């Protein structure tokens, strides 16, 4: 309490020694010399006013004691913003930025963990669906809209590593595959539980690094992370995943999670790029997929995998031990569903399967061909044709002709 009162008093000043000494003596029954020594100590550690770090200043002052008279408090404010992110000085400004009132901000940030403990589905902010080895935590519409606002206006200002291809405007599976096309050797690895491995503490550090004051960074972290309810964890396929989901983490399914994950993986990408340079290789990452390509011996592959596993662990990630692949030109080399032995292309069997579906749709109609029950089968077919036609003119012409016939069929 003493340290907090002193920190709050100091933060009300313009950070000039005389004014700081007066502020200290106004709240603490201390001699003038003691106040002077305290101010000198603070200024040596903080030459500039740490207005965005009140909690840090309070911790710094914790060891110094005094008798409190009354407290002076000043609002926090952003000191230095990076990457042209919008300045948000305090929680009131954050609420206004998100077009919420204070109570609504507190509700969506779930500070009292109502979402985590609620038995009533209506009180939860997320919907949950288990897939074989992962949990989809999809925010409900109102929280999703808030997260999209943060994605577009805050996270989009921060740069991602040049070798990250997943969920980055202008990049994607084809750009990821293209950098590995036509190489002698392809080594691919998978990061285990990629999103849930990223803790709320890392997200808080990221928002602080952008420049937001502590209270704002805490609220932004709460809006973009979650803790999985206990009743959902009972269906977890393994104890390790359940342990990750039990603590605050990035939810897979939130619109902000891919961008936040890319930013948190920046150091990983930088270190693995350096490692690839040491081996004379090319490195790229698509979400949780890591890939290295170039010329390697078997011994070098083992060394590369061991070093990558070690670096990933140091950066808070785990390489899945059963999903590491080593392929030469004599074998099928593929990343993100694309064969890259020559140029990125969908495997021939998938192309043939789509041609058969389009031919069936053109002959018997869309309803008859929609055997998997797609809600909008025409849009699904259009998307699949675009995917398989990418940078493949001969396939594009054949598939487009079949698509036109399928869409015009009675």
């Amino acid at each position: 309490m003493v340290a907090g009162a002193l920190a709050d008093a100091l933060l009300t000043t313009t950070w000039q020694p005389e004014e700081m000494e007066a502020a200290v003596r106004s709240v603490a029954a201390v001699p003038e010399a003691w106040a002077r020594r305290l101010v000198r100590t603070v200024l040596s550690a903080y030459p500039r006013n740490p207005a965005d770090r009140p909690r840090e200043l309070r911790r710094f002052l914790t060891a110094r004691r005094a008798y409190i008279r009354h407290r002076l408090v000043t609002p926090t404010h952003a000191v230095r913003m990076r990457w042209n992110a919008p300045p948000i000085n305090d929680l009131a400004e954050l609420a206004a930025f998100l077009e919420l009132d204070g109570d609504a901000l507190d509700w969506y940030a779930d500070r009292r963990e109502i979402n985590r403990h609620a038995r009533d589905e209506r009180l939860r902010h997320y919907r949950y669906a288990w897939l074989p080895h992962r949990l989809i935590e999809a925010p409900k519409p109102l929280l999703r809209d808030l997260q999209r606002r943060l994605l577009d206006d805050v996270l989009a200002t921060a740069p991602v590593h040049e070798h990250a291809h997943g969920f980055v405007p202008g990049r994607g599976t084809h750009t990821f595959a293209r950098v590995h096309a036509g190489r002698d050797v392809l080594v691919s690895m998978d990061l285990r539980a990629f999103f849930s491995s990223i803790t709320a503490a890392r997200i808080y550090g990221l928002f602080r690094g952008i420049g937001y004051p502590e209270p704002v960074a805490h609220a932004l972290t709460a809006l973009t992370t979650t803790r999985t309810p206990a009743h959902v964890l009972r269906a977890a396929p393994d104890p390790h995943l359940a342990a990750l989901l039990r603590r605050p983490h990035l939810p897979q399914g939130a619109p902000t999670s891919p961008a936040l994950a890319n930013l948190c993986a920046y150091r990983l990408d930088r270190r693995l790029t350096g490692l690839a340079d040491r081996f004379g290789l090319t490195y790229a990452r698509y979400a949780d997929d890591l890939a290295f390509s170039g010329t390697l011996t078997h011994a070098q592959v083992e060394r590369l995998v061991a070093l990558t596993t070690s670096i990933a662990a140091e950066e808070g990630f785990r390489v899945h031990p059963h999903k590491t692949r080593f392929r030469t030109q004599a074998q099928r080399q593929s990343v993100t569903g694309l064969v890259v032995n020559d140029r990125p292309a969908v495997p021939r069997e998938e192309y043939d399967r789509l041609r058969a579906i389009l031919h069936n749709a053109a002959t018997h109609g869309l309803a008859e061909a929609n055997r998997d029950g797609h809600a909008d089968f025409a849009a699904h077919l259009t998307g699949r044709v675009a995917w398989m036609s990418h940078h493949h003119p001969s396939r594009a012409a054949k598939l487009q002709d079949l698509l036109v016939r399928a869409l015009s069929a009675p």
Side-chain angles (χ1 to χ4, degrees):
M1 181 176 178
V2 171
L6 289 172
D8 290 340
L10 289 169
L11 290 172
T12 64
T13 71
T14 59
W15 219 244
Q16 298 301 315
E18 297 80 5
E19 190 178 350
M20 294 168 72
E21 291 172 21
V24 169
R25 298 190 67 194
S26 70
V27 297
V30 296
E32 183 177 344
W34 191 95
R36 189 177 303 113
R37 286 196 300 272
L38 176 65
V39 169
R40 282 202 299 266
T41 301
V42 171
L43 286 173
S44 67
Y46 298 96
R48 296 180 179 178
N49 188 333
D52 61 335
R53 292 168 287 165
R55 297 184 185 185
E56 181 181 315
L57 182 59
R58 288 168 199 163
R59 289 194 296 269
F60 179 80
L61 295 170
T62 296
R64 291 156 179 82
R65 300 178 179 178
Y67 294 100
I68 305 303
R69 291 176 178 164
H70 58 277
R71 301 183 69 164
L72 302 175
V73 180
T74 186
T76 59
H77 64 269
V79 173
R80 183 181 303 170
M81 300 301 300
R82 302 177 67 186
W83 307 309
N84 296 318
I88 303 173
N89 292 307
D90 53 35
L91 294 179
E93 288 192 13
L94 176 59
F97 176 78
L98 295 173
E99 299 180 357
L100 300 171
D101 59 34
D103 290 339
L105 175 61
D106 193 59
W107 165 252
Y108 287 113
D110 197 30
R111 296 186 183 185
R112 290 176 289 175
E113 293 198 332
I114 293 174
N115 173 69
R116 182 167 182 254
H117 297 293
R119 294 181 180 275
D120 189 337
E121 170 67 27
R122 292 171 297 179
L123 297 177
R124 300 191 191 122
H125 294 319
Y126 290 85
R127 294 188 175 94
Y128 304 94
W130 279 104
L131 299 181
H133 301 291
R134 65 189 66 190
L135 174 65
I136 301 301
E137 299 177 285
K140 291 182 179 178
L142 293 177
L143 178 58
R144 185 176 65 238
D145 290 344
L146 296 178
Q147 291 173 341
R148 282 178 175 163
R149 175 76 182 272
L150 295 175
L151 173 64
D152 294 339
D153 296 346
V154 175
L155 299 178
T157 66
V160 299
H161 197 276
E162 61 181 333
H163 292 162
H165 289 258
F167 315 106
V168 180
R171 306 177 205 171
T173 54
H174 283 87
T175 62
F176 176 61
R178 193 178 306 136
V179 300
H180 300 297
R183 302 302 180 94
D184 292 338
V185 171
L186 174 68
V187 180
S188 59
M189 287 173 262
D190 181 84
L191 296 177
R192 190 175 184 180
F194 181 53
F195 290 103
S196 52
S197 294
I198 300 175
T199 64
R202 296 181 69 176
I203 300 304
Y204 170 76
L206 176 64
F207 282 121
R208 288 287 293 122
I210 292 176
Y212 290 112
E214 290 171 341
V216 176
H218 275 294
L220 291 171
T221 300
L223 289 168
T224 53
T225 61
T226 189
R227 296 176 68 180
T228 307
H231 76 278
V232 177
L233 292 176
R234 295 191 191 105
D238 65 76
H240 172 71
L241 179 58
L244 294 177
L245 295 171
R246 190 172 291 115
R247 66 187 184 181
H249 60 275
L250 279 185
Q252 183 166 354
T256 44
S257 291
L260 287 168
N262 275 338
L263 295 173
C264 286
Y266 190 95
R267 275 203 354 159
L268 173 71
D269 291 330
R270 186 175 63 185
R271 293 182 66 183
L272 292 183
T273 298
L275 178 66
D277 289 343
R278 284 172 52 189
F279 282 84
L281 303 174
T282 297
Y283 161 77
R285 177 179 62 82
Y286 186 93
D288 55 358
D289 293 326
L290 312 177
F292 299 85
S293 60
T295 301
L296 280 171
T297 65
H298 282 277
Q300 287 176 316
V301 169
E302 293 179 2
R303 179 67 174 158
L304 174 70
V305 171
L307 289 172
T308 300
T309 301
S310 176
I311 290 172
E314 290 172 5
E315 295 300 325
F317 300 100
R318 292 180 62 188
V319 171
H320 200 299
H322 305 303
K323 293 189 177 181
T324 297
R325 299 287 183 268
F326 164 60
R327 295 287 184 268
T328 67
Q329 270 288 327
Q331 302 165 298
R332 174 184 283 187
Q333 298 175 334
S334 63
V335 290
T336 58
L338 296 171
V339 177
V340 295
N341 292 71
D342 180 18
R343 56 177 176 172
V346 174
R348 178 75 193 194
E349 57 268 25
E350 289 191 32
Y351 167 69
D352 290 340
R353 189 179 303 118
L354 179 60
R355 284 188 63 189
I357 293 172
L358 290 169
H359 182 269
N360 186 29
T363 304
H364 303 289
L366 289 174
E368 176 69 22
N370 187 14
R371 296 179 180 176
D372 292 329
H374 293 284
D376 189 341
F377 193 45
H380 170 75
L381 290 178
T382 302
R384 292 295 294 165
V385 167
W387 162 256
M388 293 198 186
S389 300
H390 192 82
H391 283 264
H392 209 303
S394 61
R395 285 187 177 183
K398 296 174 184 177
L399 291 175
Q400 191 63 38
D401 178 63
L402 283 171
L403 177 64
V404 170
R405 289 165 54 193
L407 295 180
S408 61

